[in-house]
Amino acid sequence: MSKPIKKILIANRGEIAVRIIRACKELGITSVAVFSSADRSACHVAMADEAYFIGEAPSAESYLVQNKIIETAKQCNADAIHPGYGFLAENAGFARLCNNEKIIFIGPKAETIELLGDKIQARKKAIEAGLPVLPGEEIDVSNASEALAKAKSIGFPVLIKAIAGGGGKGMRVADSAENFNESLIRASSEAKSAFGDGRVFIEKFLENPRHIEFQILCDAHGQAVHLGERECSIQRRHQKLIEESPSPVMTPELRKNMGEAALKIARASNYIGAGTVEFMVDSDMSFYFLEVNTRLQVEHPVTEMVTAIDLVKEQIAIAENKTLSFSQDDISCSGHAIECRISAEDPRQGFVPSTGTIQDYRMPSGPGVRLDSGVESGSEISVYYDPLFAKLIVWGKDRSEAISRMKRALEEFRISGLKTTIGFHRIVMENENFVSGNFSTKFIETEYPNYEFETADDKTIETAAIAAAIDRFKNESRINLQNGKSSRASISSWSLYHRQRNMKKFTGSR
Amino acid sequence: MSKPIKKILIANRGEIAVRIIRACKELGITSVAVFSSADRSACHVAMADEAYFIGEAPSAESYLVQNKIIETAKQCNADAIHPGYGFLAENAGFARLCNNEKIIFIGPKAETIELLGDKIQARKKAIEAGLPVLPGEEIDVSNASEALAKAKSIGFPVLIKAIAGGGGKGMRVADSAENFNESLIRASSEAKSAFGDGRVFIEKFLENPRHIEFQILCDAHGQAVHLGERECSIQRRHQKLIEESPSPVMTPELRKNMGEAALKIARASNYIGAGTVEFMVDSDMSFYFLEVNTRLQVEHPVTEMVTAIDLVKEQIAIAENKTLSFSQDDISCSGHAIECRISAEDPRQGFVPSTGTIQDYRMPSGPGVRLDSGVESGSEISVYYDPLFAKLIVWGKDRSEAISRMKRALEEFRISGLKTTIGFHRIVMENENFVSGNFSTKFIETEYPNYEFETADDKTIETAAIAAAIDRFKNESRINLQNGKSSRASISSWSLYHRQRNMKKFTGSR
Amino acid sequence: MAHYLVKSNGKEFDIVVKKSGDSFCVVVDGREQTVQFSSSGKSKSVMLVDCCSHEISINSNGYDNSRLVTVGGIEVELEIDNFRLAQLKKAAGNSNSQAASKKIKAPMPGLVLEVKVSSGEKVESGQTILVIEAMKMENAIKSSAAVVVKNVAVSKGQSVEKGDLLIEFE
Amino acid sequence: MAHYLVKSNGKEFDIVVKKSGDSFCVVVDGREQTVQFSSSGKSKSVMLVDCCSHEISINSNGYDNSRLVTVGGIEVELEIDNFRLAQLKKAAGNSNSQAASKKIKAPMPGLVLEVKVSSGEKVESGQTILVIEAMKMENAIKSSAAVVVKNVAVSKGQSVEKGDLLIEFE
């Protein structure tokens, strides 16, 4: 028997909270936002039906405070909590807490999250279920020599990963014995700060792998389907930047094999809900199980665009105990979708975060363009949260049309007030190796070592120079008119020079 | 042999020019905008690769000046001209002029436009091709008694239509002999001013018909397909407001019959390009040929959303002399799409046009939402052109999801600075008869006689009252703080009263 | 604390506003509600009324009493007045509103195509008074009541701006 | 007429601007072009250079010479100067630019996780100097040249704002 959900508390913020609120509105479900002191006038608060303050700006004092969120859900009589991604999305303890309080946690069961969240256990489960895995094992950070010995036995390069990790945090590659120890300490400390768990394990690092993942949906009645793959190889420091579906290298046979593997681990772990099974694919097209993400992914829209299935609505239906309304045979993928993650970062400064207030915000639109955004003109991007604030997704009848459309949409996008990754994505869309589909997870470091690239070509710089000259000419004409002078020629260069020097004193500009 | 088009001049403005420029960008075709003095900084000018001034604001002095547009196309070496809709889109003389100047006119041949643009000839052609038509005939406006006799022989109500018409202009219903003459004169004078041709004809007027049209695509090599229907019954004064595909009343059999009828008239008139065959469908589901629109329609995106075929790109491919890349059997429609036309009009004042500068402009987005817009924050809506400035289109897996999504998208849409039809569309999406699919072209006049409807319910008005009170409280507190007073209680009501009266003198407000 | 009378569309709200920490305590016709009000960029704000969320924008001009408030995209026109002052006005029999608007003004800029009435003529409710062409459409301006024409301020062929006086009634 | 020198990214443009009716006649390094420039809402403009269309926004602060010009969404930083003045500055051997920036400032607000150098230390190009945590990511701040540390202005655990001085070199 299914039990309809009438009210959902969204334990998240930004674009993913907005995404979930949109689904709630379309389903006639009351949406409840929670917010920190930094988010009082944020988009997700304005859009939700109800909104509750849950604490101060640092997420440890608000979006991560489980008791506060549970208390809010009870206060407003929410039937269910949707955790989005990040924050509490993969926290088994929180899922269990919801369960104890008779609130539906929209995600897999606590035991499943626990099992798959522990990379070592997940790996064991995958081996049991017959999935191929890379050589690897857990290590003790405090025992440096034993750790190094294990790394050597696997053979460098090795990948050091947080056991509790996700989203690229607490992940480092060690090329050789020399930098192994520092990478190990850095990964462990990052893991501790991000997940409260400093345990790490090491794994054979493939030289030029692709990162390909499968979207799965499993209901509580034993039905499980996959929705095809997403190609997520364009990454920077293990964080995905661009995702697409289908993968340019996928074949029907490989899709069948990988999809079946994904469903095997799902079944072995009694998976219920939406999830993602990640694989590494080597250049010879052999694939290895990586991990299962027990949540909605950032990049879920590319799957939605090619399958026409709304994953958030499916998550809610599954949480309502409904059976899936389609079988594997009903799922067909058509066309090609690409997503570019739009972050408040300055790519030319090594992607350092950029904070500030969004001034102009002009969204791209038109045929085949979708923008999932958590901001608008006037929104603040603060230091407290993830710099990802929007995702631009396009659909095309084939990969070539999708790339052309992405270029067009990126050209239309305008954000002023802070630096973003839009310009960088424009460059990647022109990159020959990206366009040909010939790339691996090393794409960014190979193509843009030290992040050296020019967003502006010579013609654009000249155009900018002309614009600046005309703008200044107009301003000077206006000032001269105001001063009752008919021509600016009457101001000598020397007086201009001194005036400028004086101006500088006041404005403090360099 | 196909000949690739490298540069297209778009002889239009607003959202449709933007739509065509987007297609050009995605195809790598250089786009050329033309603009009047009112459109110097318009979106279509900013987006195009090149832009040329063609005259003063009134369209008769710019967008309708054929020679100026041809001269511009020659000056910039455009291979082709896309006329959009309106302006010169259905002008056979202009198509011929392009042909003479060896510029490709993106549309049907001049002879086809001429034949189908004349409603009387098109009707004859339809009869020859075996299409069902309504009783009707041409009349002589100057001979009032003969005209009335003809109207009586058809039987009232009759529809008076401009022979050269389109877009609802020069169209009037006469209920009875009493108002026949005035309606005739009004229709003829409107036709003369809009099309330079005052000829009209009359036709039996169905009481509760649906307006259903079929999208066709025909290449220059004899291939012709239809892309299913669009339901366009939600109209005001014969101007479409909301369109959808499929029609809620369509059956596979009726679709087959109507689609075949549409292709019959297309073949009979040697149609090449994209076009629309319009029908009236009576309550007993019998259908009658109405007219052929020899251009891209305003509502083309709903077809694009359900077929995943880009009609503008197909138009360009056909103009390049390519063969269609799909046959009738390849075309499948999935899901449901709805379009709401967003116009600068005040629905509660009988849809009077509203002009001004767009201040805030927040576009709806997210899953299944497309906005085709010709404006942005800062754009001017002037009196010179059509008030339609954007089209909001949504896709859903079924009609119910499409309606929910449209509601959600309309709620997200924000435009300040002028009145729009957004609020009206929000009401229609809640209308029971709209939701049930039970409506005819009389929907607006039956459901909203005299355009009486409330956009704000009691709860919303109370919320607005609270907001106004808090806003004023905050302003008064601020003013008091500035005056060094700790509480506003120290200002007597009488002094406030006089202060307000004095303020009014200065501001001139009522 | 402040006490207001807000009128909109024939409704009246008696509203008391008090500051209460970061929030406001608002009593509307006797019902107390907690309101949080956060301004974001430009004219937009988020207002939570007992935790129900509303996106608000307010257009006002200082002490002038009329406001255009947008709640989640829906426009509401209203008048806000100091409560005691409103009472005083009522007592003084302020009849401004009744005196107003026996005039028809141009609802949009356009060209007068036809004038169908003249001074002294009686017109019925719903009768077409004149026709204005704007944005390529003919718009019939109709009377909303049975009245007598006092003055016709425009003539056929004349261009009018929005708000220009067209017709005055007696 | 005005004569400017515009510098960007190592390039110099000699630009003469003249008004010519509604348009401008612009001579860039001797090539004459006709430019139309229309401002629309806010800071946006449409600029047609010999009919090639560009969407422009310009951020400037009055007479200050640096500009951030956005051309079709692409940002270009540049310096504009009166041409004669620029020549005078050159002649005067103005060496402001060389003197600057032997400092590393915080590229973002965050928490100093580690300081890996101390005063007097020699650092190689590419060596990690300190690590800042911001937005949940650790960011290694590296030296872009082989230098000697003069002063370390921050310590481990300290919060820094964007632009705060971190390290000075000799």
Side-chain angles (χ1 to χ4, degrees):
Chain A
M1 325 131 299
S2 79
K3 181 194 172 259
I5 291 173
K6 291 188 185 124
K7 195 181 226 183
I8 296 178
L9 182 148
I10 296 118
N12 216 306
R13 63 178 301 285
E15 70 85 18
I16 194 62
V18 168
R19 167 71 185 92
I20 298 161
I21 292 167
R22 281 174 167 153
C24 289
K25 282 187 187 281
E26 292 177 13
L27 292 169
I29 292 172
T30 303
S31 54
V32 180
V34 291
F35 61 95
S36 74
S37 55
D39 281 340
R40 287 183 193 281
S41 59
C43 281
H44 75 287
V45 178
M47 277 182 78
D49 295 313
E50 299 175 20
Y52 295 83
F53 176 71
I54 52 162
E56 295 309 313
S59 36
E61 297 171 37
S62 47
Y63 297 105
L64 287 171
V65 183
Q66 304 187 21
N67 288 331
K68 185 74 194 163
I69 289 168
I70 294 284
E71 187 191 300
T72 305
K74 287 165 79 175
Q75 180 191 342
C76 73
N77 283 311
D79 307 307
I81 293 179
H82 196 307
Y85 55 71
F87 294 136
L88 301 168
E90 289 173 291
N91 188 310
F94 183 66
R96 195 163 282 128
L97 195 54
C98 289
N99 197 42
N100 293 345
E101 299 287 351
K102 310 274 177 259
I103 299 164
I104 299 168
F105 175 82
I106 300 180
K109 284 177 296 186
E111 307 84 76
T112 311
I113 298 173
E114 207 152 53
L115 169 74
L116 296 172
D118 184 308
K119 300 239 184 329
I120 296 295
Q121 281 200 63
R123 192 180 147 86
K124 275 185 201 148
K125 188 58 87 174
I127 294 168
E128 280 169 35
L131 273 68
V133 298
L134 286 164
E137 57 187 307
E138 182 172 355
I139 52 173
D140 178 357
V141 179
S142 65
N143 190 337
S145 63
E146 188 195 89
L148 185 60
K150 284 184 177 176
K152 279 181 175 163
S153 83
I154 287 172
F156 286 102
V158 296
L159 185 63
I160 305 160
K161 291 160 81 171
I163 288 179
K169 281 154 194 161
M171 203 182 270
R172 285 286 189 285
V173 178
D175 297 340
S176 62
E178 285 75 57
N179 67 5
F180 177 69
N181 202 39
E182 191 191 332
S183 298
L184 186 62
I185 289 160
R186 176 80 51 243
S188 175
S189 103
E190 211 172 275
K192 185 133 185 69
S193 109
F195 315 109
D197 179 349
R199 290 178 306 144
V200 296
F201 80 114
I202 57 175
E203 202 175 66
K204 176 74 190 155
F205 181 70
L206 296 178
E207 286 290 351
N208 284 297
R210 284 176 176 262
H211 176 118
I212 296 180
E213 61 188 28
F214 274 69
Q215 176 69 48
I216 57 166
L217 277 179
C218 309
D219 67 22
H221 309 282
Q223 276 203 75
V225 298
H226 75 81
L227 279 73
E229 79 281 5
R230 290 186 290 258
E231 161 78 62
C232 310
S233 301
I234 309 292
Q235 307 183 344
R236 188 187 72 86
R237 304 210 311 191
H238 309 291
Q239 299 235 13
K240 297 162 188 166
L241 291 176
I242 298 172
E243 301 98 342
E244 56 186 300
S245 183
S247 163
V249 295
M250 189 54 62
T251 62
E253 196 195 345
L254 183 60
R255 182 177 293 125
K256 189 164 173 287
N257 293 340
M258 291 180 76
E260 276 169 12
L263 292 178
K264 269 185 205 164
I265 179 108
R267 290 205 185 90
S269 52
N270 297 315
Y271 205 93
I272 299 174
T276 297
V277 184
E278 298 191 329
F279 298 96
M280 283 289 161
V281 178
D282 210 350
S283 33
D284 66 357
M285 300 312 279
S286 49
F287 64 93
Y288 304 95
F289 169 76
L290 198 63
E291 65 184 58
V292 181
N293 292 320
T294 57
R295 55 167 159 86
L296 191 69
Q297 300 273 91
V298 172
E299 60 271 25
H300 75 277
V302 295
T303 299
E304 295 185 326
M305 298 287 266
V306 294
T307 61
I309 289 170
D310 187 314
L311 288 168
V312 176
K313 290 183 184 173
E314 293 302 328
Q315 284 190 301
I316 294 169
I318 292 168
E320 286 174 326
N321 206 30
K322 286 185 183 147
T323 49
L324 285 178
S325 60
F326 41 80
S327 68
Q328 190 66 55
D329 290 343
D330 297 327
I331 296 163
S332 68
C333 295
S334 78
H336 198 100
I338 304 178
E339 171 181 282
C340 287
R341 297 191 184 194
I342 313 298
S343 293
E345 294 175 330
D346 186 352
R348 295 174 73 195
Q349 304 290 323
F351 286 84
V352 298
S354 173
T355 57
T357 302
I358 292 181
Q359 307 294 338
D360 285 340
Y361 191 64
R362 190 182 75 187
M363 293 160 54
S365 188
V369 174
R370 164 176 169 184
L371 187 74
D372 277 22
S373 158
V375 298
E376 59 179 318
S377 168
S379 293
E380 287 278 341
I381 305 278
S382 73
V383 70
Y384 298 108
Y385 313 111
D386 198 279
L388 175 75
F389 64 86
K391 299 172 328 201
L392 177 56
I393 311 109
V394 300
W395 181 93
K397 64 178 193 282
D398 51 29
R399 189 165 188 270
S400 161
E401 184 176 65
I403 292 174
S404 308
R405 190 159 274 167
M406 181 60 88
K407 278 189 220 174
R408 188 268 288 170
L410 288 166
E411 261 182 51
E412 290 181 17
F413 213 159
R414 291 286 178 283
I415 300 173
S416 66
L418 38 75
K419 302 282 181 188
T420 76
T421 51
I422 294 173
F424 179 70
H425 288 300
R426 286 173 72 164
I427 285 172
V428 175
M429 290 300 132
E430 303 281 354
N431 180 295
E432 270 179 36
N433 286 329
F434 178 77
V435 171
S436 70
N438 174 28
F439 52 79
S440 74
T441 56
K442 287 208 166 161
F443 177 81
I444 300 287
E445 65 187 282
T446 313
E447 300 287 326
Y448 309 104
N450 303 317
Y451 309 118
E452 273 163 17
F453 54 86
E454 283 306 324
T455 45
D457 59 18
D458 289 357
K459 187 81 198 134
T460 302
I461 296 170
E462 184 178 321
T463 303
I466 293 172
I470 288 188
D471 179 64
R472 176 153 169 174
F473 180 78
K474 287 174 69 177
N475 283 336
E476 287 174 353
S477 306
R478 207 183 57 230
I479 289 166
N480 290 334
L481 283 174
Q482 285 168 351
N483 293 347
K485 290 168 184 158
S486 61
S487 154
R488 60 163 297 295
S490 58
I491 306 180
S492 83
S493 293
W494 278 110
S495 76
L496 263 176
Y497 181 55
H498 288 293
R499 196 193 294 188
Q500 285 180 20
R501 289 183 70 93
N502 290 335
M503 295 290 287
K504 280 182 186 171
K505 283 184 198 160
F506 291 105
T507 60
S509 62
R510 101 125 229 280
Chain B
M1 335 127 290
S2 79
K3 180 193 172 259
I5 290 174
K6 292 191 184 119
K7 194 182 229 184
I8 296 178
L9 181 147
I10 296 117
N12 216 306
R13 62 178 302 285
E15 70 85 18
I16 194 62
V18 168
R19 167 71 186 91
I20 298 161
I21 292 166
R22 281 174 167 152
C24 289
K25 284 188 186 281
E26 292 176 12
L27 292 168
I29 292 172
T30 303
S31 54
V32 180
V34 291
F35 62 96
S36 75
S37 55
D39 282 339
R40 286 183 193 281
S41 59
C43 282
H44 75 285
V45 178
M47 277 181 77
D49 295 313
E50 299 175 19
Y52 296 83
F53 176 73
I54 52 163
E56 295 310 313
S59 37
E61 297 171 37
S62 47
Y63 297 105
L64 288 171
V65 182
Q66 304 187 19
N67 287 331
K68 185 71 193 167
I69 289 168
I70 295 284
E71 185 191 300
T72 305
K74 287 163 80 175
Q75 181 192 342
C76 73
N77 283 312
D79 307 306
I81 293 179
H82 196 307
Y85 55 72
F87 294 138
L88 300 169
E90 290 173 289
N91 188 311
F94 182 67
R96 195 163 283 129
L97 195 54
C98 289
N99 197 42
N100 292 346
E101 299 287 351
K102 309 270 175 268
I103 299 164
I104 299 168
F105 175 81
I106 300 181
K109 283 177 297 187
E111 307 82 77
T112 309
I113 298 172
E114 205 151 52
L115 169 73
L116 297 171
D118 184 307
K119 300 239 185 330
I120 296 296
Q121 280 199 63
R123 195 181 146 84
K124 274 187 203 147
K125 189 57 88 175
I127 295 167
E128 280 170 35
L131 274 67
V133 297
L134 286 165
E137 59 188 307
E138 184 173 355
I139 52 174
D140 179 356
V141 180
S142 64
N143 189 338
S145 62
E146 189 196 88
L148 185 59
K150 285 183 177 177
K152 280 181 177 164
S153 82
I154 288 171
F156 286 102
V158 296
L159 185 64
I160 305 161
K161 293 160 80 172
I163 288 179
K169 281 156 195 161
M171 202 182 270
R172 284 287 188 284
V173 179
D175 298 339
S176 63
E178 284 75 57
N179 69 4
F180 177 71
N181 203 39
E182 193 193 332
S183 299
L184 187 64
I185 289 161
R186 177 79 53 243
S188 174
S189 103
E190 210 172 278
K192 183 128 185 78
S193 111
F195 315 110
D197 179 349
R199 288 178 305 143
V200 296
F201 79 114
I202 56 174
E203 203 175 64
K204 177 73 190 154
F205 181 70
L206 295 178
E207 285 290 350
N208 284 296
R210 285 177 176 263
H211 177 119
I212 296 179
E213 62 187 28
F214 275 70
Q215 175 68 49
I216 57 168
L217 278 178
C218 309
D219 67 22
H221 310 282
Q223 276 203 75
V225 297
H226 75 82
L227 280 72
E229 78 282 4
R230 291 186 289 258
E231 161 78 62
C232 310
S233 299
I234 309 292
Q235 306 184 345
R236 188 188 72 86
R237 305 211 310 191
H238 310 291
Q239 299 233 13
K240 298 162 188 165
L241 291 176
I242 298 173
E243 301 98 341
E244 57 185 301
S245 183
S247 164
V249 296
M250 189 55 63
T251 62
E253 197 197 342
L254 184 61
R255 183 177 291 124
K256 188 165 174 286
N257 293 340
M258 291 180 76
E260 276 170 12
L263 293 177
K264 270 185 204 163
I265 179 106
R267 290 204 185 92
S269 51
N270 296 315
Y271 204 94
I272 299 174
T276 297
V277 185
E278 298 192 328
F279 297 97
M280 283 288 159
V281 179
D282 210 349
S283 32
D284 66 356
M285 301 311 280
S286 49
F287 65 90
Y288 304 95
F289 170 77
L290 197 64
E291 64 182 63
V292 181
N293 292 320
T294 57
R295 55 169 158 86
L296 192 68
Q297 300 274 92
V298 173
E299 60 271 23
H300 76 276
V302 295
T303 299
E304 295 185 326
M305 298 289 264
V306 293
T307 60
I309 289 170
D310 188 314
L311 288 168
V312 176
K313 290 183 183 171
E314 293 302 326
Q315 283 189 301
I316 294 169
I318 292 169
E320 286 176 324
N321 206 29
K322 286 184 183 149
T323 49
L324 286 178
S325 60
F326 42 80
S327 69
Q328 191 66 54
D329 290 343
D330 298 326
I331 296 164
S332 68
C333 295
S334 78
H336 199 99
I338 304 178
E339 171 181 283
C340 286
R341 298 191 183 193
I342 312 298
S343 293
E345 294 174 331
D346 186 352
R348 296 174 72 195
Q349 304 291 323
F351 287 84
V352 298
S354 173
T355 56
T357 302
I358 291 181
Q359 307 294 338
D360 285 340
Y361 191 66
R362 190 181 74 188
M363 292 161 56
S365 187
V369 174
R370 165 176 168 184
L371 187 74
D372 277 23
S373 157
V375 299
E376 59 178 318
S377 168
S379 292
E380 288 278 342
I381 305 277
S382 73
V383 70
Y384 299 107
Y385 312 112
D386 198 279
L388 175 76
F389 64 86
K391 299 172 329 200
L392 176 56
I393 311 108
V394 300
W395 180 92
K397 64 177 192 286
D398 51 29
R399 189 165 189 269
S400 161
E401 184 176 67
I403 292 174
S404 306
R405 191 160 274 167
M406 181 59 88
K407 278 190 222 175
R408 188 270 287 172
L410 288 166
E411 262 182 52
E412 290 181 16
F413 212 159
R414 293 284 179 283
I415 299 173
S416 67
L418 37 75
K419 303 282 180 187
T420 75
T421 51
I422 294 172
F424 179 71
H425 287 301
R426 287 173 71 164
I427 285 173
V428 175
M429 290 301 132
E430 303 280 354
N431 181 295
E432 271 180 34
N433 286 329
F434 178 77
V435 171
S436 70
N438 174 29
F439 53 79
S440 73
T441 55
K442 287 208 163 162
F443 176 81
I444 300 287
E445 62 187 283
T446 313
E447 300 286 329
Y448 309 104
N450 302 317
Y451 309 118
E452 273 161 15
F453 54 85
E454 282 306 324
T455 45
D457 59 17
D458 288 358
K459 188 82 199 133
T460 303
I461 295 171
E462 183 179 320
T463 304
I466 293 171
I470 288 187
D471 180 64
R472 177 151 165 175
F473 180 79
K474 288 173 68 175
N475 283 337
E476 288 173 354
S477 308
R478 207 182 56 229
I479 289 166
N480 291 333
L481 282 174
Q482 285 168 352
N483 293 348
K485 290 169 186 159
S486 61
S487 156
R488 58 163 300 291
S490 58
I491 307 182
S492 82
S493 293
W494 277 112
S495 76
L496 263 177
Y497 182 56
H498 288 294
R499 197 193 293 187
Q500 285 180 20
R501 291 184 68 95
N502 290 336
M503 294 293 286
K504 279 184 184 170
K505 284 184 198 157
F506 291 108
T507 60
S509 61
R510 102 121 228 277
Chain C
M1 201 196 84
H3 193 177
Y4 303 108
L5 185 72
V6 183
K7 294 185 216 171
S8 176
N9 210 9
K11 292 183 185 62
E12 285 193 357
F13 302 92
D14 171 343
I15 303 184
V16 175
V17 181
K18 279 179 283 206
K19 195 101 180 80
S20 156
D22 276 355
S23 309
F24 299 89
C25 170
V26 178
V27 185
V28 183
D29 298 335
R31 278 174 302 115
E32 188 171 316
Q33 301 175 74
T34 301
V35 178
Q36 296 170 64
F37 196 94
S38 299
S39 300
S40 69
K42 298 173 191 169
S43 60
K44 273 174 296 185
S45 303
V46 176
M47 182 171 82
L48 304 180
V49 181
D50 281 346
C51 293
C52 286
S53 174
H54 304 282
E55 198 189 71
I56 301 286
S57 80
I58 301 175
N59 283 298
S60 61
N61 32 2
Y63 262 103
D64 186 10
N65 288 347
S66 74
R67 299 281 186 282
L68 179 67
V69 179
T70 308
V71 180
I74 296 171
E75 290 185 348
V76 178
E77 284 176 25
L78 46 78
E79 296 273 323
I80 182 166
D81 220 331
N82 176 281
F83 192 81
R84 274 193 287 163
L85 190 56
Q87 302 294 81
L88 288 167
K89 277 187 191 169
K90 270 187 196 164
N94 188 320
S95 63
N96 260 354
S97 49
Q98 285 84 331
S101 118
K102 290 224 165 184
K103 295 168 181 179
I104 292 188
K105 294 180 175 178
M108 66 218 137
L111 183 72
V112 177
L113 276 193
E114 272 183 64
V115 180
K116 309 194 83 172
V117 294
S118 49
S119 287
E121 194 174 332
K122 276 187 194 169
V123 292
E124 297 303 312
S125 175
Q127 187 179 332
T128 298
I129 293 170
L130 38 76
V131 180
I132 292 186
E133 190 194 79
M135 287 173 164
K136 298 277 156 224
M137 287 293 292
E138 297 187 7
N139 299 277
I141 310 293
K142 294 179 180 184
S143 167
S144 59
V147 285
V148 175
V149 176
K150 187 177 169 189
N151 175 33
V152 178
V154 293
S155 55
K156 189 176 166 169
Q158 187 179 332
S159 286
V160 291
E161 290 301 311
K162 187 176 172 178
D164 281 1
L165 180 66
L166 301 175
I167 304 272
E168 261 183 297
F169 298 120
E170 296 201 336
Chain D
M1 201 197 85
H3 193 176
Y4 302 109
L5 186 72
V6 183
K7 294 185 216 173
S8 176
N9 209 10
K11 292 183 185 61
E12 285 193 357
F13 301 92
D14 169 343
I15 303 185
V16 175
V17 181
K18 280 179 281 205
K19 194 100 180 78
S20 156
D22 277 354
S23 310
F24 299 90
C25 169
V26 178
V27 185
V28 184
D29 298 336
R31 277 174 303 114
E32 188 172 315
Q33 300 174 74
T34 301
V35 178
Q36 296 170 64
F37 197 94
S38 300
S39 301
S40 69
K42 297 171 187 170
S43 60
K44 273 174 298 185
S45 303
V46 175
M47 183 171 82
L48 305 179
V49 181
D50 282 347
C51 292
C52 287
S53 174
H54 304 281
E55 197 188 72
I56 300 286
S57 80
I58 302 175
N59 283 297
S60 60
N61 33 2
Y63 262 105
D64 186 11
N65 288 347
S66 75
R67 298 282 186 282
L68 179 67
V69 179
T70 310
V71 180
I74 296 171
E75 291 184 346
V76 178
E77 283 175 29
L78 46 79
E79 297 271 323
I80 181 165
D81 220 331
N82 176 282
F83 193 84
R84 272 192 290 163
L85 189 58
Q87 303 293 83
L88 288 166
K89 278 186 189 168
K90 272 187 195 165
N94 187 319
S95 64
N96 259 353
S97 50
Q98 286 83 333
S101 116
K102 289 223 164 182
K103 294 167 181 180
I104 291 188
K105 292 179 178 178
M108 67 221 137
L111 183 73
V112 178
L113 277 192
E114 275 184 62
V115 180
K116 310 193 83 171
V117 295
S118 48
S119 285
E121 193 174 333
K122 275 187 195 171
V123 291
E124 297 304 310
S125 175
Q127 186 179 332
T128 299
I129 294 170
L130 38 76
V131 180
I132 292 184
E133 191 194 79
M135 286 172 164
K136 298 281 158 220
M137 287 294 293
E138 298 187 7
N139 300 276
I141 310 292
K142 296 179 179 187
S143 167
S144 58
V147 285
V148 175
V149 176
K150 185 179 171 190
N151 174 35
V152 178
V154 292
S155 54
K156 189 175 168 172
Q158 185 178 333
S159 287
V160 291
E161 289 302 310
K162 186 176 173 179
D164 280 1
L165 179 67
L166 301 175
I167 304 272
E168 263 183 295
F169 299 119
E170 294 199 338

